[in-house]
Amino acid sequence: MIKLSQPVISEDTISRVGDILRSGCLVHGEECIAFERELSVYLGVKHVLLVSSGTAALHLSLLAHDIGPGDAVLVPDFTFVATANVVEFTGAKAVMVDVLPDTYNMDPEALQKTIVDWGHKEKIKAIMPVLEFGNPSAIDKYVEVSKRFGITLIEDAACALGAFEGEQKIGTFGDCSCFSFHPRKTLTTGEGGAIATGDSALAERISLLRSHGMSRSEDGLIFKSTGLNYRLTNFQAAIGRDTLNNLPSWLDKRFALARSYNKGLQNLAAKRLIRVPVINPGHSCQTYMIVLSETFSRADVIRRMRELGVEVNSGAQSMSSLGLYKHRHNYETNMQVGPHLAGKGLALPLHENMIESDAARVVDALEKALT
Ligand SMILES: *Cc1c(COP(=O)(O)O)cnc(C)c1O
């Protein structure tokens, strides 16, 4: 079976984790501080704060910006539910903006229109675009909109560690940026995440919120604010540190595999049986998702592919279609693309353990399954 995703943890890393477990220094400590420093150098950003998940990163980013009841946050219609869920858990409303059919990212025109036409009582406090599957596309437009309207930009870069636009890494464009280290992402610590920001005051607030509002002084602990516990552990950070060294070569590999999918799938695309994603340099290729034409039942295709030895799955969900985010805007706006991608998107295997011939096998299986 060619698996959809398969995290790679080296034997060296496993033995390093063993050392840390034997040392007894388990929670946030030296390994975390070193990993934060290495990530900040890698991204080219002043501060990186490790947290316990990508969801925690998003939640703290909203809290640190004082987002709560009476506020609205604009999120893409097509994403993983965490993006919209965290907004609701602050007491603010998650408001959806449709995405583009070829990049799967939030449509910058629709984003601007939503802000300009906004007639609801909530104040739009932040925009939280997702760099879907690691696609950096339109990040400069989001920055432009955020500046023009004076609205905070929080990047949901959960899938986009290693993605870049021009010379600049994703994770350095917004007021702050959130990464996930779940096993499905480009770098994993099991569970884990990080927030990157160039704003020192914001980093200080996030650091307090992450750890009970607590800081250390010469007189011992002081409690400066209310807070949560969203810390990462030292042994998870050790996994992240080791895998960060491999990340550039893994990203090259992911990119090459995605490009060979694009090539191999040309036939099916020409017959209009599927649409393939645009993979431009800078894409971290966390997931490679094609879109099936209307005639196919995705459930059937998934079953057929499994019989042919290939694990495939849906890509992401349409927030407005879930009926969980009860804001008038979400019911009254006619979302076209998000629901379509959620219904017909098909994620193909893509991970560091794959070789080119695996990608060719996936293409063969798909040809059998669709024709
Ligand atoms: C994975 C993901 C998250 C959540 O990250 P976790 O580490 O699983 O909490 C949030 N947003 C997007 C777009 C994701 O893909």
Side-chain angles (χ1 to χ4, degrees):
M1 178 72 81
I2 302 181
K3 305 266 279 181
L4 192 60
S5 163
Q6 203 178 341
V8 178
I9 311 287
S10 72
E11 286 306 317
D12 282 353
T13 307
I14 291 168
S15 119
R16 174 91 192 101
V17 168
D19 292 343
I20 292 170
L21 295 180
R22 281 184 287 267
S23 81
C25 299
L26 304 186
V27 297
H28 183 94
E30 271 174 33
E31 285 294 321
C32 291
I33 291 161
F35 187 32
E36 285 177 339
R37 203 178 314 117
E38 287 158 7
L39 276 171
S40 79
V41 170
Y42 176 76
L43 292 170
V45 69
K46 199 159 171 197
H47 304 280
V48 171
L49 295 113
L50 291 174
V51 291
S52 52
S53 70
T55 306
L58 294 168
H59 192 200
L60 289 189
S61 297
L62 294 168
L63 294 177
H65 280 100
D66 270 329
I67 288 165
D71 299 329
V73 176
L74 304 185
V75 302
D77 189 43
F78 184 66
T79 180
F80 182 59
V81 289
T83 315
N85 282 347
V86 290
V87 174
E88 298 281 319
F89 270 89
T90 66
K93 292 289 172 199
V95 167
M96 280 89 219
V97 175
D98 209 357
V99 298
L100 291 169
D102 50 348
T103 66
Y104 314 149
N105 281 354
M106 194 191 250
D107 178 351
E109 300 289 323
L111 172 64
Q112 176 148 331
K113 190 169 168 0
T114 306
I115 296 169
V116 170
D117 294 350
W118 189 250
H120 304 282
K121 62 177 192 297
E122 296 85 2
K123 183 173 161 42
I124 300 177
K125 269 282 195 63
I127 54 180
M128 209 156 76
V130 174
L131 292 315
E132 190 59 16
F133 305 142
N135 191 340
S137 168
I139 186 69
D140 45 350
K141 300 269 174 45
Y142 305 143
V143 171
E144 219 178 282
V145 170
S146 137
K147 291 209 168 112
R148 181 172 323 138
F149 297 96
I151 298 173
T152 298
L153 173 61
I154 299 171
E155 294 175 62
D156 182 345
C159 308
L161 183 68
F164 57 90
E165 171 69 39
E167 297 291 296
Q168 203 179 332
K169 288 250 170 53
I170 289 299
T172 61
F173 288 87
D175 292 276
C176 67
S177 310
C178 301
F179 295 101
S180 164
F181 303 143
H182 180 272
R184 277 286 275 134
K185 314 297 164 132
T186 53
L187 178 151
T188 190
T189 57
E191 299 279 7
I195 305 170
T197 181
D199 178 339
S200 300
L202 185 68
E204 169 70 16
R205 273 201 298 286
I206 292 169
S207 166
L208 287 172
L209 286 167
R210 170 179 69 178
S211 190
H212 309 296
M214 200 163 68
S215 86
R216 277 171 209 285
S217 76
E218 284 177 0
D219 303 330
L221 290 177
I222 39 179
F223 295 88
K224 292 186 168 170
S225 71
T226 54
L228 297 155
N229 177 2
Y230 277 168
R231 295 178 304 233
L232 196 74
T233 63
N234 264 341
F235 47 96
Q236 287 171 302
I239 302 172
R241 289 184 74 189
D242 268 7
T243 42
L244 184 60
N245 293 328
N246 295 319
L247 187 64
S249 71
W250 286 357
L251 291 171
D252 287 349
K253 187 165 195 185
R254 282 175 175 272
F255 188 79
L257 287 166
R259 280 289 179 95
S260 44
Y261 272 144
N262 273 4
K263 225 186 203 161
L265 295 170
Q266 263 171 7
N267 272 339
L268 290 174
K271 288 182 194 152
R272 297 186 181 279
L273 297 175
I274 59 168
R275 284 209 333 270
V276 299
V278 178
I279 306 289
N280 284 328
H283 201 309
S284 69
C285 303
Q286 176 263 340
T287 289
Y288 183 92
M289 189 189 87
I290 61 169
V291 185
L292 300 171
S293 80
E294 285 299 342
T295 50
F296 294 108
S297 142
R298 181 175 56 199
D300 287 347
V301 174
I302 292 175
R303 204 171 311 117
R304 183 92 182 86
M305 289 294 279
R306 181 168 282 280
E307 285 161 15
L308 294 163
V310 180
E311 185 186 29
V312 292
N313 209 345
S314 60
Q317 292 77 36
S318 157
M319 298 302 102
S320 64
S321 308
L322 293 176
L324 298 171
Y325 311 105
K326 296 181 173 39
H327 191 280
R328 248 177 59 211
H329 171 93
N330 300 333
Y331 297 123
E332 291 172 0
T333 309
N334 183 15
M335 311 276 175
Q336 295 279 347
V337 184
H340 178 68
L341 296 178
K344 297 292 174 183
L346 190 75
L348 306 187
L350 188 66
H351 53 79
E352 290 77 30
N353 271 330
M354 281 177 68
I355 52 175
E356 289 286 334
S357 62
D358 293 325
R361 260 185 64 200
V362 174
V363 170
D364 281 347
L366 204 57
E367 280 182 348
K368 284 201 186 85
L370 299 184
T371 55

